[in-house]
C-alpha cells in the first residue's frame, strides 16, 4: 500500500512497454552513448556556475523525464494485479471501460452482459477477459451461469436500465417497475449472494461495488422506476456491508451524475438537452467522462480503500453539495 518500490510495483513497471522504454532512455545514454573519454558532467566557469556538457544535458533530461514517468505509474498503480472480478453490464458504456481497465491492471475479469456480440468484441480486445452471456433479470439463469465460477476478489454490479424514462409516477406500469427492479435491485442481491457466499466459504476478503446514481438521492421528472431502484440499491450496499463486514468483504456504491455514455447521448439528441441541466447545476461545469467513474471504482476495489465500507460514493463534480452555482 505504500508508494515505495514493492515487487508488484516493479512488475507493473516492467509489464508496461512504455515504462521499459523510459527506463532504457534513462540508462542507455549513460552507459553506451558517450564515446568521448571525458566523463565529466561539465565544467565550472570562473563565475562559479556549472555548464553542463551538451550530451549530459540529454542524459539529465532523459533521466528526470524517465524517472517522472515511472514514479507517476507507481503512484497510479492500484495494486490490483492478479485479482479476479465479475463485472455485470460489461458489453457497453461504464462496464465495458471498467472491464478493459481492470484487465489492463492485470486482473482476470469475468465480463457478464446480455448481448453476445458486444462481449465477443470485448474479449477479442483482451485475453484476460472471460465473457458470460446472461440476462441479469432472469434470477435462475444468472444462478446457473455463475454457479461454477471460481472464488473471486469481488464484483461490480453495473447492469442497469439506461434508456428512456419510467414515466409519470401516477401512471407508471408494473411492467416498467419490474424492468428496473429486476435489472438493478434483484439482480444485485442475486450476484452478491452467489459470489459473496463463495468468498465467505473460502475465507476470501474482497470488495463489492454497486453502480448507483445521484438520482438515488434526489427526485427527477418522470423517473420513479430508475430513482427508487437506485435508492434500494444504496440500501443493498449498506445491508451487505453490515453482514459481510465480519468476513472482511467491503461493499460500497458509486453514485455518478450524468455520464457521457451512448444512451445519454441518444437521450440528449432525441428527447431533451438534459446534459445542459446537469452542467448548470455542477460547480465543475461539465459532466464526467466514463474514465472518471471507472477510477473511483478502482479505488474502491483496491486496498487504498481498505477501511471504506457501506458508503455511497458520489461522483458529480460537486453538484449534490451545491444549492446553486450562480446568483
Ligand atoms: N450513463 C449515465 O449517465 C449514468 C449515470 C449514473 C449511473 N449510471 C449507471 O451506470 C450503469 C451503467 O450505465 P451505462 O451508461 O454505462 O449504460 P449502457 O451504456 O447502456 O450499458 C449498459 C450495459 O448493461 C447491459 N445490460 C443492461 N440490461 C442488462 C440485463 N438485463 N442483463 C445483462 N446485461 C444488461 C447492457 O447490455 P446490452 O448491450 O445488451 O444493452 C450494456 O452492456 C447503470 O447501472 C446506470 O444506471 C449511468
Amino acid at each position: 500500500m505504500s508508494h515505495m518500490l514493492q515487487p508488484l510495483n516493479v512488475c507493473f513497471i516492467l509489464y508496461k512497454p512504455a515504462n521499459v522504454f523510459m527506463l532504457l532512455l534513462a540508462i542507455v545514454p549513460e552507459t553506451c552513448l558517450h564515446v568521448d573519454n571525458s566523463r565529466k558532467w561539465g565544467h565550472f566557469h570562473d563565475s562559479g556556475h556549472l555548464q553542463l556538457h551538451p550530451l549530459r544535458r540529454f542524459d539529465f533530461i532523459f533521466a528526470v523525464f524517465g524517472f517522472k514517468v515511472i514514479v507517476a505509474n507507481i503512484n497510479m498503480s492500484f495494486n490490483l494485479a492478479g485479482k479476479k472480478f465479475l463485472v455485470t453490464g460489461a458489453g457497453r458504456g461504464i462496464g465495458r471501460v471498467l472491464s478493459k481497465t481492470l484487465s489492463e491492471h492485470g486482473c482476470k475479469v469475468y465480463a457478464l452482459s446480455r448481448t453476445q456480440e458486444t462481449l465477443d468484441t470485448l474479449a477479442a480486445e483482451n485475453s484476460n477477459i472471460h465473457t458470460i452471456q446472461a440476462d441479469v433479470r432472469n434470477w435462475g439463469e444468472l444462478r446457473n451461469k455463475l454457479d461454477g465460477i471460481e472464488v473471486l476478489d469481488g464484483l461490480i454490479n453495473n447492469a442497469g436500465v439506461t434508456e428512456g424514462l419510467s414515466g409519470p409516477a401516477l401512471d407508471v406500469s408494473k411492467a416498467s417497475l419490474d424492468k428496473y427492479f429486476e435489472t438493478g435491485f434483484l439482480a444485485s442481491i442475486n450476484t452478491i449472494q452467489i459470489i459473496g457466499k463463495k468468498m465467505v466459504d473460502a475465507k476470501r476478503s474482497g470488495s463489492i461495488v454497486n453502480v448507483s446514481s445521484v438520482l438515488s438521492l434526489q427526485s427527477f421528472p418522470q423517473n420513479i422506476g430508475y430513482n427508487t431502484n437506485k435508492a434500494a440499491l444504496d440500501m443493498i450496499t449498506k445491508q451487505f456491508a453490515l453482514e459481510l463486514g465480519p468476513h472482511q468483504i467491503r461493499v460500497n456504491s458509486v453514485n455518478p451524475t450524468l455520464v457521457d455514455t451512448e444512451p445519454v447521448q441518444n437521450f440528449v439528441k432525441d428527447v431533451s438537452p438534459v446534459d445542459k441541466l446537469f452542467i448548470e447545476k455542477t460547480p465543475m461545469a461539465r459532466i464526467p467522462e466514463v474514465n472518471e467513474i471507472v477510477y473511483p471504482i478502482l479505488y474502491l476495489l483496491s486496498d487504498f480503500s481498505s477501511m471504506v465500507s457501506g458508503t455511497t460514493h458520489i461522483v458529480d463534480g460537486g453538484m449534490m453539495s451545491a444549492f446553486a452555482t450562480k446568483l
Side-chain angles (χ1 to χ4, degrees), residues 89 92 94 113-115 135-136 158 162 212 226 230 259 261:
R92 293 185 287 121
I94 296 169
S113 205
R114 187 170 47 189
T115 306
D135 185 338
V136 298
N158 165 75
T162 49
S212 180
Y226 187 88
K230 291 298 190 189
V259 190
T261 57

Side-chain angles (χ1 to χ4, degrees), residues 89 92-95 114 158-166 179-180 183-184 211-213 215 223 225-226 229-230 256-259 261-268 271 274:
R92 293 185 287 121
I94 296 169
R114 187 170 47 189
N158 165 75
V161 181
T162 49
E163 69 280 356
L165 296 164
S166 49
K179 189 171 64 170
Y180 287 99
T183 313
V211 181
S212 180
S213 164
L215 297 183
N223 220 19
Y226 187 88
N229 169 58
K230 291 298 190 189
T257 181
L258 194 75
V259 190
T261 57
E262 199 186 323
V264 170
Q265 288 159 5
N266 292 339
F267 191 86
V268 167
V271 186
V274 71

Side-chain angles (χ1 to χ4, degrees), residues 90-107:
R92 293 185 287 121
I94 296 169
R96 188 180 182 93
V97 177
L98 174 64
S99 300
K100 284 164 74 170
T101 310
L102 283 172
S103 170
E104 283 160 16
H105 277 72
C107 299

Side-chain angles (χ1 to χ4, degrees), residues 75-279:
N75 290 341
M76 278 174 66
S77 168
F78 289 100
N79 281 348
L80 288 166
K83 304 237 177 198
K84 300 166 187 171
F85 296 105
L86 169 74
V87 180
T88 73
R92 293 185 287 121
I94 296 169
R96 188 180 182 93
V97 177
L98 174 64
S99 300
K100 284 164 74 170
T101 310
L102 283 172
S103 170
E104 283 160 16
H105 277 72
C107 299
K108 181 174 182 182
V109 180
Y110 289 93
L112 186 148
S113 205
R114 187 170 47 189
T115 306
Q116 187 64 55
E117 291 77 52
T118 53
L119 288 174
D120 289 345
T121 56
L122 180 64
E125 285 166 24
N126 212 307
S127 59
N128 240 0
I129 296 181
H130 305 261
T131 63
I132 304 169
Q133 188 282 324
D135 185 338
V136 298
R137 289 183 68 183
N138 188 328
W139 183 279
E141 182 195 351
L142 195 55
R143 291 224 150 207
N144 288 339
K145 295 225 169 150
L146 292 180
D147 192 39
I149 200 167
E150 62 184 311
V151 180
L152 305 182
D153 297 285
L155 78 133
I156 303 91
N157 279 312
N158 165 75
V161 181
T162 49
E163 69 280 356
L165 296 164
S166 49
L170 280 180
D171 294 324
V172 67
S173 67
K174 178 170 181 299
S176 172
L177 293 174
D178 283 348
K179 189 171 64 170
Y180 287 99
F181 278 79
E182 284 170 9
T183 313
F185 172 74
L186 286 172
S188 300
I189 293 179
N190 202 3
T191 53
I192 298 176
Q193 284 186 350
I194 302 163
I195 305 299
K197 265 203 187 105
K198 283 178 189 271
M199 292 168 75
V200 170
D201 289 347
K203 298 194 178 353
R204 178 82 67 94
S205 61
S207 170
I208 295 169
V209 177
N210 297 318
V211 181
S212 180
S213 164
V214 289
L215 297 183
S216 70
L217 303 159
Q218 282 195 325
S219 57
F220 192 82
Q222 306 201 26
N223 220 19
I224 189 167
Y226 187 88
N227 289 27
T228 53
N229 169 58
K230 291 298 190 189
L233 188 58
D234 288 354
M235 187 46 75
I236 290 175
T237 294
K238 290 178 183 157
Q239 194 64 33
F240 275 108
L242 170 69
E243 297 191 27
L244 295 180
H247 303 282
Q248 306 307 310
I249 299 171
R250 301 180 293 105
V251 189
N252 292 283
S253 302
V254 163
N255 297 50
T257 181
L258 194 75
V259 190
D260 192 21
T261 57
E262 199 186 323
V264 170
Q265 288 159 5
N266 292 339
F267 191 86
V268 167
K269 187 159 52 79
D270 303 335
V271 186
S272 149
V274 71
D275 54 336
K276 290 202 174 64
L277 192 73
F278 276 79
I279 290 167

Side-chain angles (χ1 to χ4, degrees), residues 1-13 74 77 79 304:
M1 286 214 320
S2 78
H3 292 262
M4 290 168 64
L5 277 178
Q6 298 166 344
L8 266 177
N9 279 330
V10 174
C11 289
F12 183 74
I13 291 169
I74 292 168
S77 168
N79 281 348
F304 285 121

